[in-house]
Amino acid sequence: MREIALVYLDRSGGLQKFVHDCKKYNDSKQSYAVYRFVISVNPADIAELDATLGSYILHNPIQAAQIFQSVCFIAIETLSLIEQLQTEAQISILLKPTHLPPLPSYVLSLSAFPFNYTSQRFYMAEGIVIAMGTVTKYTQGARFLCTEETCPFSEGFRYIRVHLPGATESATVRNDFVCSSCSSPLQEDMKFRVLGDKQIVEMTDAKVLNALKGYSSAKSHCVIQTFTVFLR
């Protein structure tokens, strides 16, 4: 699947954009804990190249991002695109689908039973925004070091933590991580913390408009509940 991912990036122009993004990182001469790349993918085009990879992107986007992460790391190493990069863990890939299949199973509807939204895959959601919070910061990535000076992991970029969709802030940054080599506590290197913007949006189903228009009948009676969306 790595080979298919590379072929797709080359044919879609994504590889050229990736090289350009790498150049911006390399020209900055600054060492980052995490190098973040947004890759647009067309699920239909990828499915034509390889059905398995296409299914991965639609239904297992986190695992699919790891495949593209490996491909991007090999490209950086082979072409010497980012001199400061040391480990594959420093690469964060965000897959951005151009569209989703026009099928009911890809539409997030909180009024339909059963909910069955246990998988971490892509869904489309439509609704009305009724409230928006202020834009705040969250940790996209962080570097941790072993506190034992004699441990080989007391330096370098062995321990990189990157925010994943659906995770809380404490999953990325907290003070109880331990070294896998010597079991000593890990300490964050604050100089390498990568921040991003997040905003909380409160939404409700578009069916609420019927209630606001005064429509009422026994058949259409329902309770409309809001849901929270995190924009990152």
Side-chain angles (χ1 to χ4, degrees):
M1 286 191 286
R2 294 176 183 173
E3 182 180 351
I4 297 299
L6 180 59
V7 170
Y8 173 76
L9 288 176
D10 185 34
R11 293 183 180 180
S12 65
L15 186 59
Q16 183 178 359
K17 179 182 180 298
F18 173 74
V19 172
H20 181 265
D21 292 340
C22 288
K23 187 177 186 302
K24 291 192 294 184
Y25 277 124
N26 197 50
D27 291 345
S28 69
K29 301 302 179 184
Q30 178 181 348
S31 184
Y32 293 83
V34 176
Y35 297 87
R36 190 168 182 266
F37 301 95
V38 179
I39 298 179
S40 296
V41 291
N42 185 323
D45 290 346
I46 293 181
E48 289 185 4
L49 291 174
D50 184 85
T52 303
L53 182 57
S55 177
Y56 250 61
I57 290 175
L58 289 174
H59 305 109
N60 300 282
I62 295 179
Q63 289 81 355
Q66 293 174 351
I67 296 174
F68 281 84
Q69 177 189 25
S70 179
V71 171
C72 291
F73 177 72
I74 294 174
I76 292 174
E77 290 284 283
T78 304
L79 303 176
S80 301
L81 298 176
I82 302 178
E83 297 178 0
Q84 304 92 336
L85 181 71
Q86 296 186 21
T87 66
E88 182 176 325
Q90 290 179 260
I91 299 177
S92 174
I93 299 296
L94 176 64
L95 296 181
K96 185 178 180 180
T98 57
H99 67 281
L100 293 179
L103 300 172
S105 59
Y106 292 95
V107 177
L108 180 65
S109 175
L110 299 184
S111 62
F113 290 91
F115 293 138
N116 194 29
Y117 298 124
T118 57
S119 64
Q120 293 182 319
R121 67 176 178 87
F122 291 115
Y123 291 96
M124 293 181 290
E126 290 185 353
I128 302 170
V129 175
I130 61 173
M132 297 177 66
T134 58
V135 177
T136 58
K137 296 293 183 181
Y138 78 102
T139 303
Q140 285 185 348
R143 175 199 189 193
F144 287 82
L145 297 173
C146 181
T147 54
E148 175 57 53
E149 295 182 356
T150 60
C151 179
F153 301 144
S154 62
E155 57 184 14
F157 292 86
R158 163 75 179 188
Y159 296 111
I160 300 295
R161 300 196 66 83
V162 179
H163 173 82
L164 292 177
T168 61
E169 186 82 3
S170 62
T172 308
V173 179
R174 61 175 189 262
N175 56 12
D176 61 348
F177 296 127
V178 296
C179 178
S180 60
S181 176
C182 65
S183 299
S184 298
L186 298 181
Q187 185 175 14
E188 183 187 356
D189 186 351
M190 294 298 296
K191 299 190 301 295
F192 286 88
R193 178 178 285 197
V194 180
L195 299 177
D197 294 332
K198 74 173 180 180
Q199 187 174 24
I200 298 177
V201 175
E202 199 75 10
M203 298 182 65
T204 186
D205 196 288
K207 293 178 181 178
V208 74
L209 289 178
N210 293 332
L212 296 177
K213 291 177 181 178
Y215 296 158
S216 63
S217 66
K219 295 182 179 180
S220 63
H221 178 72
C222 63
V223 176
I224 303 297
Q225 184 171 346
T226 63
F227 58 97
T228 303
V229 178
F230 288 81
L231 304 179
R232 299 184 185 268

